[in-house]
């Protein structure tokens, strides 16, 4: 399903990036700024994946990142599902592909659809030695609760989560942001930041950040997609 993940000996922190778009901005920003981390980057869209492969191949940090072409979902074992993409339009970018059928503003710009592999995050984490996952970012157009659930028992070992909030107006039968928030709070996470859109979406919640109450509060290296992908440091008292 994917090549064996080789983590260098000098790594102290593991980050997971689910949903890369065409240029894996979170993964590359992490790699460029933090020398002690290893990133597992996951993307199902073939065009996006090839683009990210090309970007990573030119990076001096490529040995600290492992690319996996797959969708992530709360499945018992590896399976197949349909991935929907959008055709070129004013609303299109590489980050709009989804396991859920586009509706609403996207219903008239549905592009190609094709089968992709779907695996749970637990399937990946079962295959590597680690103590904690420092950060998980998921941006999967309505599939984010399923991504988080797919961690299974590994969820308790994740320190920090950045999740897209709610895409139920744009993709069919997706879970609400309220359900995602409740699931994490029920599993010993605390919401510490609410991120809103800009322009006409300035009153819309786009992303949430959560910390795992199991761990001592500390600085988490992450990014804010609403301020130009500049590093953000969450300093706990």
């Amino acid at each position: 399903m994917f090549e064996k993940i080789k983590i260098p000996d000098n790594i102290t922190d593991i980050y997971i990036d689910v949903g890369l778009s065409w240029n894996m901005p979170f993964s590359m920003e992490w790699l460029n700024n933090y020398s002690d981390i290893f990133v597992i980057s996951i993307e199902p869209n073939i065009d996006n994946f090839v683009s990210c492969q090309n970007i990573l191949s030119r990076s001096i940090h490529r040995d600290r990142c492992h690319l996996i072409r797959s969708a992530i979902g709360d499945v018992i074992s590896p399976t197949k599902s349909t991935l929907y993409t959008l055709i070129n339009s004013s609303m299109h970018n590489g980050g709009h592909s989804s396991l859920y059928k586009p509706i609403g503003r996207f219903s008239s710009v549905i592009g190609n659809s094709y089968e992709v592999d779907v695996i749970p995050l637990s399937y990946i984490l079962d295959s590597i030695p680690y103590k904690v996952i420092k950060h998980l970012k998921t941006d999967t157009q309505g599939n984010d609760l399923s991504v988080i659930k797919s961690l299974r028992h590994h969820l308790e070992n994740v320190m920090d989560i950045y999740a897209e909030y709610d895409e139920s107006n744009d993709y069919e039968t997706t879970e609400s942001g309220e359900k995602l928030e409740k699931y994490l709070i029920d599993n010993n996470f605390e919401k510490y930041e609410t991120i809103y859109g800009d322009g006409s979406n300035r009153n819309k919640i786009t992303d949430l950040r959560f910390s795992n109450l199991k761990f001592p509060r500390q600085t988490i290296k992450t990014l804010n997609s609403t301020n130009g992908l500049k590093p953000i440091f969450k300093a706990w008292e």
Side-chain angles (χ1 to χ4, degrees), residues 3-237:
E3 294 182 2
K4 182 178 180 181
I5 299 174
K6 299 177 182 178
I7 302 175
D9 293 337
N10 64 329
I11 294 301
T12 61
D13 297 337
I14 294 177
Y15 281 38
I16 300 176
D17 189 0
V18 182
L20 307 180
S21 190
W22 64 272
N23 60 344
M24 52 193 304
F26 280 76
S27 293
M28 293 310 300
E29 191 78 9
W30 295 332
L31 292 166
N32 289 333
N33 282 279
Y34 313 128
S35 61
D36 55 355
I37 73 168
F38 185 87
V39 182
I40 300 171
S41 303
I42 307 164
E43 170 63 42
N45 182 307
I46 182 59
D47 294 330
N48 290 349
F49 184 80
V50 170
S51 176
C52 291
Q53 275 186 317
N54 292 333
I55 291 170
L56 187 61
S57 70
R58 299 190 297 269
S59 171
I60 61 173
H61 307 301
R62 56 186 176 272
D63 291 339
R64 293 192 291 112
C65 182
H66 187 96
L67 277 174
I68 297 174
R69 190 197 161 203
S70 180
I72 299 296
D74 186 23
V75 294
I76 297 174
S77 59
T79 186
K80 301 279 187 180
S81 187
T82 300
L83 183 76
Y84 296 91
T85 67
L86 301 185
I87 60 175
N88 289 330
S89 74
S90 61
M91 296 182 294
H92 168 72
N93 66 51
H96 280 154
S97 54
S98 176
L99 293 178
Y100 296 91
K101 186 176 180 179
I103 58 174
R105 61 182 178 142
F106 292 151
S107 60
S108 63
V109 290
I110 299 175
N112 294 330
S113 60
Y114 50 87
E115 274 198 344
V116 294
D117 293 324
V118 183
I119 59 176
L121 282 176
S122 61
Y123 186 76
I124 298 171
L125 295 179
D126 285 344
S127 73
I128 63 172
Y130 79 93
K131 292 183 179 179
V132 298
I133 302 301
K134 194 70 170 284
H135 183 67
L136 164 66
K137 182 229 98 184
T138 172
D139 184 349
T140 58
Q141 309 307 301
N143 193 48
D144 302 286
L145 178 56
S146 182
V147 169
I148 292 167
K149 286 182 175 180
S150 81
L151 285 158
R152 298 194 178 88
H153 66 280
H154 296 283
L155 178 60
E156 66 176 346
N157 299 323
V158 179
M159 296 181 66
D160 189 86
I161 294 177
Y162 180 120
E164 189 173 43
Y165 181 65
D166 192 326
E167 290 289 330
S168 58
N169 290 330
D170 292 332
Y171 297 91
E172 193 172 68
T173 67
T174 63
E175 299 283 11
S176 68
E178 289 87 354
K179 286 186 178 180
L180 183 151
E181 185 174 352
K182 182 179 186 304
Y183 182 81
L184 283 172
I185 290 173
D186 288 347
N187 281 276
N188 202 41
F189 281 76
E190 175 184 58
K191 181 178 69 175
Y192 69 80
E193 186 170 6
T194 302
I195 299 168
Y196 292 86
D198 51 17
S200 61
N201 290 321
R202 62 184 178 276
N203 294 319
K204 178 185 177 182
I205 299 174
T206 59
D207 305 278
L208 296 177
R209 288 202 180 103
F210 300 86
S211 63
N212 190 337
L213 295 174
K214 170 183 173 180
F215 297 98
R217 293 180 174 181
Q218 58 180 285
T219 299
I220 298 294
K221 305 167 188 172
T222 185
L223 301 171
N224 186 340
S225 62
T226 63
N227 73 351
L229 294 176
K230 296 178 181 178
I232 294 294
F233 294 87
K234 174 62 183 179
W236 296 101
E237 297 295 328

